[in-house]
Amino acid sequence: MKNIFALILCLVLSINTAHSQSFEMDGSEIGFDLAFSASTNGGNAGLGLKYGLNLGEYLIAGTSVRYERLWIKNLLTQQSGGYNMYGGGAFLHGRFFNALFLGAEFEVLRSPYQTAGFVSQTGTWAPTLFLGGGFSMEFNAGIRINAGVMYDVIDAENSPFRSSYFMQKKTTSGQSAGFLPVIYRIAFFIPLS
């Protein structure tokens, strides 16, 4: 696990070093996204923090950390529980025309889910790689909002984001065949320079 975090850190630093010669650094930003969902079967609430360097006018790259609290209620067995999910990673966003963004976000998260879908107190590590895009707008040169749809390319069986997937897969007969690994993501960025 330490090797993965070291690899991510080296990647972000190498991007910064390689582009600092060809791109003019344009300050840094701190960003955050909030997560919340709830139902009679449980839910989650959490926060993802990002720190990024502006690599020119259109690119921002940086690191991220995430913490979420998950809770589960099994109405059939009358059992319930709460679990912590945490981890970190790196991200790269391209922003265009003060209207659109394209992004990649890689995180490795400590998930309470096992690969078979069961919950464990010890947890396992789950990689995620979200690719997507959407709307991006800067307001009063003080805050930027990115709102879009992200697709998890890895789609690990123990991903803690599985409860947030919203797009159903259907069979040819119209029956549900699970969910596509797609989530909504709204993030706020504030310049630090």
Side-chain angles (χ1 to χ4, degrees), residues 13-109:
L13 290 175
S14 67
I15 289 171
N16 181 29
T17 304
H19 290 295
S20 64
Q21 295 171 1
S22 60
F23 290 105
E24 182 179 323
M25 297 300 291
D26 194 19
S28 60
E29 297 180 10
I30 189 165
F32 64 93
D33 61 76
L34 304 171
F36 179 79
S37 68
S39 71
T40 56
N41 296 324
N44 70 303
L47 174 70
L49 295 175
K50 294 175 173 51
Y51 174 76
L53 298 173
N54 293 329
L55 307 174
E57 187 177 350
Y58 301 109
L59 275 171
I60 181 171
T63 59
S64 63
V65 294
R66 181 169 305 281
Y67 172 80
E68 289 197 27
R69 179 72 177 163
L70 308 168
W71 62 92
I72 299 168
K73 296 178 189 174
N74 189 329
L75 299 176
L76 296 175
T77 62
Q78 299 298 314
Q79 293 178 343
S80 62
Y83 306 93
N84 297 315
M85 188 239 348
Y86 55 89
F91 72 97
L92 177 68
H93 288 177
R95 301 166 176 167
F96 309 100
F97 312 112
N98 201 28
L100 300 172
F101 88 94
L102 295 175
E105 300 179 1
F106 176 77
E107 292 180 334
V108 179
L109 304 170

